[in-house]
Amino acid sequence: MRKLFLLCLSLAISISSFCQTPQFKIYDIKKKRLLVKTTGVYIYSINQGNIDIDSAMVLACAANKTPVSLSYDEGYNDGNYLLGSKMMDNNNITAALKILAKSQKTDRVKLLLQLGGHYLFKPGSKKKDLQNALFYIKQAVELSNQLKIPKWQQQSNILLGKYYFQAGSNLESQATFSTVVKNCRELNDKKALAEALENQGTFLLDNNPDKEKILTEAMQLYKETGQKEKEVETLMKLVTVHFWTGNLPLAKKESIQVYNFLKNIGFKHTHYNAATISYIDLVLKNQKESLYYAIDGVKTMEATQDFAVADKYYMRLADIYSQMGNFEEAIHLYKKSIEIGQKKSNNRSWYKSFLSYLQTLSELGRHKEALDYLKKTTQKFPPDNLLDKMLVGRTAALCYDKIGNTKHAEKNYVAIEKYISKLINPQTAFDVATVYSEMSFFYAKTGQAIKAKSYINKALAIKRNYKIKVNYHIIDLSLFKIDSLDGNYLSAIGHYQKFKESNDSIINYSKRKEIEELRFKYETAQKEQNIKTLQAQTDLQQSQLEKSKLAINLSIGLLMLLFIILGLLYKLYRVKQKSNKKLKIKEKEISLKNTNLQHLLDEKEWLMKEIHHRVKNNLQTVISLLNSQSAYVDNDMALSTIKSSQHRIHAMSLIHQKLYMSENISTISMPIYIKELVEYLKDSFQLKQRIRFEIKIEQLELDVVQAVPLGLIINEAITNSIKYAFPNDQDGIISITLIATDANQYLLTIQDNGIGIPVAFKEKNNSFGMSLIKGLSDDLDGTFSIENNNGTLLKLNFEKVILEKQKRKI
């Protein structure tokens, strides 16, 4: 299946220009959903595989101004409030995921199904969309199994079956659907079973013999449970099965049943079904019935104001006139179809009308005109898909053949042959078989029997493989020519007789009379409608004339009022000019004051840096004095005390050094400060590699009022660990961390793997160092603790300083 999302996008832009039909607004959700699906299937069919069914449903929703989810959410959306549905419809997945994180139970299952469906039924074939779909569907399956609610187990697994089908795993898809069907049979739930069977049948290939049987059972169950919209929708699916498998008489019979059913349930949009019946009758060469339903389709389309694919309805009517031989009427309708189609952005939805128009010109003997129009149009609007490319080449070949230019005719047939092998599928088999038949006839006419036989065999093979039961009169004509070339005259006569019977049966006198009456009624109705339209236009023009007179009078009054307003505005302008002059003077004064303030601020910052520089110098002087004093002290206790004081003063000095060297004079970068403090202590104690330091400091900036006590605490704790944790020059590790535990809460930990705190010391706990740490912790309004944990562990929780709070405290 080809996924032409760009074509879908351009079609959606054009289709969305139509307003939502009045009847759509009054439908309940079941009929709205039925209309969307009917429109989508029709758009998918007329595009003959150029877009996928998901893209067709996007177009149908755009045409009816409804969210795309309406085409696939019927299992869990009954029209009442559905959590997150608006966000999904607006493609706001981020907001939907936020709701999903908070939702529970059935609400969560519903939202997971919506997310899964959103990604699964996106137009195109992006691998990422399928992955996202599976991610949410599996969650829905798992949660529904936990809840053990049959409805949600069924819906989740149905969506999983659809995923497998989209992913190309037909066997897994059918296995999943079969499990759902089995569970529904065990529960004896007819409604659930009908839905399960419908999905199982829908996602079987059309040539699978079980498809018809499964859909028929689903339709019967829908009938028994009174679900009329679903009953007729399933019947439409059976029409599609019989149409694409070549059983056109049965497809027509079922289509008429659908048509009558829709009318009985009050469904107004019957023109899609009428168009289907008309096309089947056209293929079967039942011109009277085909014309009746084509006219009915146009009337219903106009009555419901549903112009999403209006060009196709006028094209179908033109096709019938062309087959009947009423070429002038056909040309008029083809032009109308092309004109409507070309207004719809840059898509090529009108291409079939354009090609049929060219063939009709050729039937009238206007071959050169047809070729000139073909070249001109295809240069401006080149075909954008393989089917249209094939049909353009085929039309050119037919026209060249008619004017006797067999060389160019054959050239076009050779050119399109490369497209045909890529085109053969159920949606294009009829067209491909027709082209092969025409190629065979061309080569038979030009005496090339071998090529003629090759192409007629290809046409017959397609007809046989795709079970096409329609008789092509061109096949009999080609076989007549081939048998004549081979000298099989008896067989040739038989094929010619079949050709004449088929060709003559297209229309006879009695049918022509009935058809002409029907056509006359339609054209009369159209003329009456045109007269009514002209009368309405005349009345509208008269009304507009009266409105124009009133508008002139109002314009004069408004002009006078405008002059008055202009005068007032000029006066306001003059007042504003005076105000602006005053404001400019004020602005200059403010600018001057701001400049002076900036100078003052710069001077303040310079003074603050100078203060920090001098404080640092003074502290260094104190350290030098203490160092000199220590040279005259013999007492070890006194020396130790002096050394400790030097370390404490250095811890403070380092902060002031950072402040006067930094652009920012109010805060300290803690990672840099602590690392430098640790390096200083390592050098002071000459540790070398005996004690290793593990430092983990987050990128925190602290005010100086907190940085000073914090630095002293770190200095005191590290000094104690170095002195007492590792006796006899043992190796060890000291870990220092400073992290944010909340927005304004910090945690400092200092831990060593030494011998720990003696129990007696822990109980007494009144040393100067410990008292200093406690006092500094109180200054930080922090919570301090110390414990044995494979060594000594010191913890300090404190809050980031708030300047206003600190000022009040001071």
Side-chain angles (χ1 to χ4, degrees):
M1 184 185 290
R2 289 175 295 169
K3 307 276 186 176
L4 301 182
F5 179 62
L6 291 176
L7 174 62
C8 171
L9 183 61
S10 63
L11 284 168
I13 292 170
S14 61
I15 287 178
S16 63
S17 62
F18 296 103
C19 296
Q20 195 177 72
T21 59
Q23 287 81 3
F24 184 86
K25 295 177 181 177
I26 63 172
Y27 283 161
D28 61 17
I29 191 168
K30 293 179 181 179
K31 285 187 173 61
K32 286 179 180 178
R33 192 173 274 121
L34 178 61
L35 176 57
V36 165
K37 291 188 177 182
T38 303
T39 310
V41 169
Y42 186 76
I43 292 171
Y44 172 69
S45 299
I46 61 177
N47 279 281
Q48 292 183 269
N50 286 322
I51 60 174
D52 58 30
I53 188 64
D54 296 340
S55 302
M57 288 303 169
V58 170
L59 298 175
C61 292
N64 292 290
K65 300 288 184 182
T66 187
V68 178
S69 58
L70 194 68
S71 65
Y72 60 77
D73 66 358
E74 62 187 320
Y76 48 86
N77 183 5
D78 58 2
N80 296 318
Y81 172 75
L82 184 62
L83 182 68
S85 60
K86 288 186 178 179
M87 295 170 186
M88 300 299 301
D89 293 335
N90 295 327
N91 202 29
N92 191 351
I93 306 302
T94 303
L97 290 175
K98 287 181 180 178
I99 294 178
L100 179 67
K102 300 176 183 176
S103 60
Q104 295 180 343
K105 298 183 179 179
T106 56
D107 282 341
R108 184 174 178 82
V109 175
K110 290 179 186 178
L111 196 48
L112 286 168
L113 291 172
Q114 288 181 82
L115 286 163
H118 170 80
Y119 284 108
L120 184 60
F121 298 108
K122 269 189 174 184
S125 57
K126 291 182 181 178
K127 186 177 180 181
K128 185 67 175 175
D129 288 337
L130 281 175
Q131 289 173 344
N132 286 332
L134 183 60
F135 176 74
Y136 293 113
I137 293 169
K138 281 193 170 181
Q139 288 187 59
V141 171
E142 184 179 349
L143 181 55
S144 61
N145 287 335
Q146 291 174 5
L147 296 173
K148 296 181 179 179
I149 300 176
K151 175 181 173 63
W152 301 119
Q153 289 176 310
Q154 177 189 353
Q155 294 303 322
S156 301
N157 281 288
I158 283 176
L159 194 58
L160 183 61
K162 292 176 181 179
Y163 162 79
Y164 285 131
F165 182 82
Q166 291 270 36
S169 303
N170 292 337
L171 291 176
E172 287 185 87
S173 174
Q174 283 304 307
T176 305
F177 285 129
S178 296
T179 301
V180 177
V181 168
K182 180 184 176 183
N183 293 336
C184 292
R185 289 191 193 279
E186 291 173 354
L187 292 170
N188 197 25
D189 187 339
K190 288 187 176 182
K191 285 188 175 182
L193 179 58
E195 184 182 2
L197 286 166
E198 184 207 350
N199 279 284
Q200 184 183 25
T202 300
F203 292 94
L204 277 171
L205 299 178
D206 286 334
N207 59 4
N208 191 309
D210 292 331
K211 182 162 187 164
E212 180 180 5
K213 181 177 70 174
I214 291 170
L215 289 175
T216 302
E217 183 183 358
M219 183 178 69
Q220 184 60 36
L221 287 168
Y222 280 133
K223 183 177 182 179
E224 291 176 14
T225 53
Q227 299 180 75
K228 294 181 179 179
E229 288 81 7
K230 294 299 296 179
E231 180 185 352
V232 74
E233 181 188 333
T234 311
L235 181 56
M236 283 191 279
K237 291 181 179 180
L238 283 168
V239 171
T240 304
V241 172
H242 295 137
F243 180 85
W244 292 121
T245 54
N247 195 343
L248 297 188
L250 180 55
K252 177 188 173 180
K253 179 182 176 182
E254 290 170 337
S255 294
I256 293 173
Q257 289 175 354
V258 171
Y259 178 82
N260 294 327
F261 198 121
L262 292 173
K263 283 184 173 292
N264 289 335
I265 66 172
F267 188 77
K268 304 293 184 183
H269 294 69
T270 56
H271 44 288
Y272 293 106
N273 193 249
T276 303
I277 301 172
S278 175
Y279 179 71
I280 294 172
D281 277 323
L282 184 65
V283 176
L284 293 172
K285 297 183 175 60
N286 299 326
Q287 286 91 357
K288 179 184 174 183
E289 292 89 342
S290 182
L291 182 60
Y292 172 82
Y293 284 106
I295 291 172
D296 181 80
V298 171
K299 287 181 178 178
T300 307
M301 174 192 71
E302 292 172 346
T304 57
Q305 300 178 38
D306 182 9
F307 301 110
V309 286
D311 54 317
K312 299 300 179 187
Y313 289 94
Y314 294 118
M315 183 194 76
R316 185 68 63 236
L317 198 54
D319 287 341
I320 299 166
Y321 282 145
S322 180
Q323 193 182 89
M324 290 163 45
N326 296 321
F327 299 121
E328 292 298 335
E329 291 92 334
I331 283 176
H332 169 72
L333 286 167
Y334 281 134
K335 284 183 176 179
K336 186 173 183 179
S337 175
I338 293 168
E339 182 182 348
I340 292 171
Q342 286 184 338
K343 289 178 181 178
K344 299 179 184 178
S345 185
N346 293 322
N347 70 75
R348 302 288 183 270
S349 65
W350 49 272
Y351 237 71
K352 287 186 177 62
S353 300
F354 156 64
L355 294 170
S356 298
Y357 169 67
L358 295 176
Q359 290 178 47
T360 306
L361 286 178
S362 185
E363 291 290 340
L364 289 170
R366 295 153 64 178
H367 312 301
K368 190 174 184 306
E369 181 185 344
L371 282 168
D372 290 342
Y373 187 60
L374 175 66
K375 291 176 183 176
K376 178 183 175 183
T377 305
T378 52
Q379 284 176 356
K380 187 176 181 181
F381 304 103
D384 58 2
N385 61 76
L386 291 178
L387 180 61
D388 285 345
K389 288 177 181 178
M390 180 190 77
L391 295 176
V392 165
R394 171 242 194 165
T395 305
L398 290 173
C399 289
Y400 278 121
D401 186 30
K402 292 285 180 65
I403 62 175
N405 191 339
T406 55
K407 181 180 178 181
H408 277 78
E410 184 173 8
K411 183 179 178 182
N412 277 279
Y413 279 134
V414 171
I416 66 175
E417 191 171 3
K418 63 184 178 182
Y419 304 130
I420 296 180
S421 60
K422 300 175 183 178
L423 271 172
I424 302 175
N425 59 59
Q427 288 78 23
T428 58
F430 183 85
D431 292 292
V432 172
T434 303
V435 174
Y436 273 142
S437 303
E438 291 169 348
M439 292 173 71
S440 173
F441 179 61
F442 169 78
Y443 284 114
K445 282 195 306 178
T446 55
Q448 302 179 62
I450 294 174
K451 287 187 176 181
K453 288 177 184 178
S454 171
Y455 288 117
I456 203 66
N457 287 334
K458 289 180 179 180
L460 292 170
I462 292 173
K463 188 178 176 185
R464 181 174 58 255
N465 292 339
Y466 288 91
K467 301 178 182 178
I468 299 173
K469 298 181 181 179
V470 182
N471 291 321
Y472 299 90
H473 67 275
I474 191 70
I475 291 180
D476 291 315
L477 189 59
S478 181
L479 289 169
F480 158 70
K481 287 283 185 183
I482 292 169
D483 287 341
S484 298
L485 290 172
D486 290 343
N488 298 327
Y489 299 114
L490 187 61
S491 176
I493 291 170
H495 285 301
Y496 186 74
Q497 287 175 337
K498 287 182 181 179
F499 160 71
K500 288 295 290 180
E501 289 172 6
S502 175
N503 200 40
D504 293 343
S505 68
I506 291 176
I507 188 163
N508 57 39
Y509 176 77
S510 60
K511 281 188 176 181
R512 176 177 286 278
K513 184 177 179 182
E514 292 173 347
I515 290 170
E516 286 298 321
E517 289 176 358
L518 191 60
R519 185 169 68 87
F520 176 75
K521 288 179 182 179
Y522 168 68
E523 291 177 353
T524 302
Q526 288 292 101
K527 288 175 182 176
E528 289 175 355
Q529 182 63 36
N530 290 338
I531 291 169
K532 288 180 182 178
T533 303
L534 288 172
Q535 183 62 45
Q537 288 176 346
T538 303
D539 294 341
L540 182 62
Q541 287 175 352
Q542 184 64 35
S543 174
Q544 287 176 340
L545 186 61
E546 292 175 0
K547 288 179 180 178
S548 296
K549 290 179 181 178
L550 179 61
I552 291 169
N553 293 331
L554 285 172
S555 298
I556 294 170
L558 288 171
L559 193 61
M560 294 176 66
L561 181 62
L562 180 63
F563 281 122
I564 295 170
I565 292 171
L566 285 172
L568 292 171
L569 287 173
Y570 180 73
K571 187 176 180 180
L572 287 171
Y573 169 72
R574 295 293 299 167
V575 172
K576 188 176 180 181
Q577 273 192 324
K578 291 179 182 178
S579 299
N580 284 343
K581 287 180 181 179
K582 292 179 180 179
L583 285 171
K584 285 180 180 178
I585 294 169
K586 287 285 186 185
E587 187 178 345
K588 287 181 180 178
E589 291 175 358
I590 292 168
S591 179
L592 183 60
K593 289 179 179 178
N594 284 341
T595 304
N596 292 334
L597 287 171
Q598 185 62 45
H599 289 320
L600 289 171
L601 182 61
D602 292 341
E603 288 176 6
K604 179 186 174 183
E605 287 186 358
W606 181 83
L607 286 170
M608 288 296 292
K609 285 189 176 184
E610 183 63 23
I611 290 168
H612 286 301
H613 182 55
R614 294 193 180 190
V615 170
K616 179 257 180 187
N617 286 345
N618 290 337
L619 290 172
Q620 288 295 331
T621 301
V622 173
I623 291 171
S624 297
L625 289 171
L626 288 172
N627 195 43
S628 299
Q629 184 67 34
S630 65
Y632 300 98
V633 176
D634 294 330
N635 188 293
D636 289 340
M637 180 63 74
L639 281 171
S640 177
T641 302
I642 290 171
K643 279 288 183 185
S644 297
S645 298
Q646 284 180 309
H647 296 163
R648 292 164 186 150
I649 294 168
H650 182 81
M652 294 186 289
S653 171
L654 192 58
I655 287 175
H656 291 286
Q657 180 182 338
K658 293 292 175 192
L659 287 171
Y660 83 77
M661 292 179 68
S662 172
E663 290 294 325
N664 185 353
I665 62 171
S666 61
T667 60
I668 299 293
S669 173
M670 296 312 293
I672 297 172
Y673 169 66
I674 292 173
K675 285 176 183 176
E676 288 190 16
L677 180 60
V678 169
E679 288 300 322
Y680 164 75
L681 292 172
K682 283 168 66 177
D683 292 340
S684 296
F685 285 100
Q686 298 179 349
L687 297 176
K688 296 182 180 179
Q689 298 301 318
R690 183 171 65 83
I691 298 176
R692 289 189 298 108
F693 287 85
E694 294 179 351
I695 302 172
K696 180 184 175 184
I697 311 296
E698 291 187 0
Q699 293 297 326
L700 303 176
E701 299 272 342
L702 291 184
D703 189 89
V704 65
V705 299
Q706 284 190 302
V708 170
L710 197 67
L712 290 171
I713 290 171
I714 294 170
N715 172 80
E716 206 65 36
I718 293 174
T719 300
N720 285 342
S721 291
I722 292 171
K723 284 182 177 180
Y724 307 117
F726 309 106
N728 302 321
D729 293 332
Q730 291 179 5
D731 292 342
I733 299 173
I734 298 175
S735 301
I736 306 161
T737 63
L738 179 59
I739 59 172
T741 58
D742 206 341
N744 289 313
Q745 290 289 332
Y746 299 135
L747 172 64
L748 170 70
T749 64
I750 302 171
Q751 183 174 13
D752 62 56
N753 62 346
I755 61 174
I757 307 170
V759 176
F761 174 79
K762 190 174 180 182
E763 291 174 357
K764 190 175 181 183
N765 203 5
N766 60 356
S767 68
F768 174 74
M770 194 57 62
S771 299
L772 181 60
I773 291 173
K774 285 185 175 181
L776 293 168
S777 300
D778 292 340
D779 289 343
L780 290 170
D781 291 335
T783 304
F784 165 74
S785 66
I786 185 168
E787 59 186 73
N788 279 326
N789 185 3
N790 295 324
T792 303
L793 172 62
L794 181 148
K795 288 184 181 179
L796 175 63
N797 282 286
F798 64 97
E799 184 180 1
K800 184 177 180 181
V801 71
I802 308 298
L803 292 179
E804 291 76 7
K805 178 179 176 182
Q806 188 69 17
K807 287 176 182 177
R808 287 197 300 272
K809 182 177 178 182
I810 292 170

